[in-house]
Amino acid sequence: MYLPTHFKQGNHSELFDLIQNNPLGSVMVIHAGEIIANHIPFELDVSYGELGLLRGHIAKANPLADIMNQPLSAYVIFHADQAYISPSWYEGKQEHHRVVPTWNYRVVHVQGKIRKIADEKYLRGVLARLTRNHEANQETPWKMGDAPTDFIEAQLEKVVAIEIEIESMIGKFKVSQNKSQLDAKNIVNALENSNPEMAESIQKYFPKP
């Protein structure tokens, strides 16, 4: 990943926070000279090891399941807020017109070993926690026990748990840190209604004077 210094984010707390709030990871592994890509919602366990552990599940019919008889190297990308930035928001647009569009975004790239866990109790735990976490804001949260036992058993037979032990992790928070304070303020004003998440990120991560 191209990573200019002013966009580099290495603070583990910030990276963990992005993953936990944006748990759908784009997972890539290389097998037999081909890239296999999947999109998987993960649970992050920050208490595991130095950099944490990602837990999730995939369908047994997924080709990825067939090649995890031994740990594989995996690359995972987590995406957070993103926004198109118009040159019309820059002060220079009015002065000299030497400005161009860009795109702001926040991502975390993770590398680690991915493996499948053939343990139904482990799988149930992963599914129960993921469900509990993402159902928390529902008026009546759904839980696995709401469905008939035989139906749940049949669904469990179709999936397998996976985990990725994180070996390295880096973030790219491209949120206008390379612009002037005036330009950053103008961008925030332009985005505060249409994209308040990005406006908040610019305010939070822009270099303090």
Side-chain angles (χ1 to χ4, degrees), residues 71-82:
L72 293 170
S73 294
Y75 202 95
V76 190
I77 302 175
F78 294 93
H79 296 261
D81 42 320
Q82 51 89 24

Side-chain angles (χ1 to χ4, degrees), residues 5-202:
T5 302
H6 41 265
F7 299 146
K8 183 176 181 180
Q9 177 57 258
N11 183 289
H12 289 175
S13 294
E14 295 285 355
L15 303 183
F16 288 152
D17 185 66
L18 186 149
I19 293 172
Q20 290 171 328
N21 288 307
N22 304 272
L24 183 66
S26 298
V27 184
M28 288 153 282
V29 302
I30 296 177
H31 178 70
E34 295 187 357
I35 298 174
I36 299 176
N38 287 272
H39 307 280
I40 301 170
F42 283 103
E43 168 196 28
L44 172 64
D45 181 356
V46 300
S47 69
Y48 185 96
E50 182 181 351
L51 293 175
L53 184 76
L54 297 169
R55 297 188 179 96
H57 67 283
I58 60 173
K60 290 180 179 178
N62 188 323
L64 180 60
D66 293 333
I67 63 174
M68 284 195 292
N69 296 319
Q70 59 184 11
L72 293 170
S73 294
Y75 202 95
V76 190
I77 302 175
F78 294 93
H79 296 261
D81 42 320
Q82 51 89 24
Y84 171 77
I85 307 300
S86 172
S88 296
W89 303 337
Y90 297 147
E91 191 70 13
K93 173 64 172 66
Q94 315 306 324
E95 298 175 356
H96 47 66
H97 300 280
R98 299 175 67 85
V99 291
V100 294
T102 191
W103 208 281
N104 277 7
Y105 55 88
R106 293 193 303 126
V107 296
V108 171
H109 288 207
V110 167
Q111 295 186 66
K113 292 293 191 297
I114 186 171
R115 51 184 171 263
K116 61 182 177 183
I117 310 295
D119 183 310
E120 184 179 310
K121 183 178 180 181
Y122 184 97
L123 174 62
R124 282 179 176 271
V126 171
L127 295 174
R129 289 189 299 273
L130 279 170
T131 301
R132 185 164 56 248
N133 183 42
H134 296 294
E135 284 283 327
N137 293 327
Q138 298 297 317
E139 184 175 344
T140 305
W142 183 89
K143 57 185 182 300
M144 291 174 65
D146 291 346
T149 300
D150 60 337
F151 174 77
I152 291 296
E153 293 291 341
Q155 299 306 305
L156 289 173
E157 282 295 320
K158 299 176 183 178
V159 297
V160 63
I162 62 170
E163 63 180 28
I164 299 176
E165 183 177 353
I166 300 175
E167 297 174 336
S168 66
M169 178 173 56
I170 192 65
K172 184 174 184 178
F173 288 15
K174 182 179 180 293
V175 289
S176 301
Q177 301 99 314
N178 59 330
K179 304 302 180 184
S180 69
Q181 290 185 357
L182 178 57
D183 281 344
K185 182 178 179 180
N186 289 343
I187 295 169
V188 168
N189 291 338
L191 292 174
E192 60 183 356
N193 291 323
S194 62
N195 195 327
E197 293 85 3
M198 178 52 67
E200 181 179 342
S201 290
I202 295 170

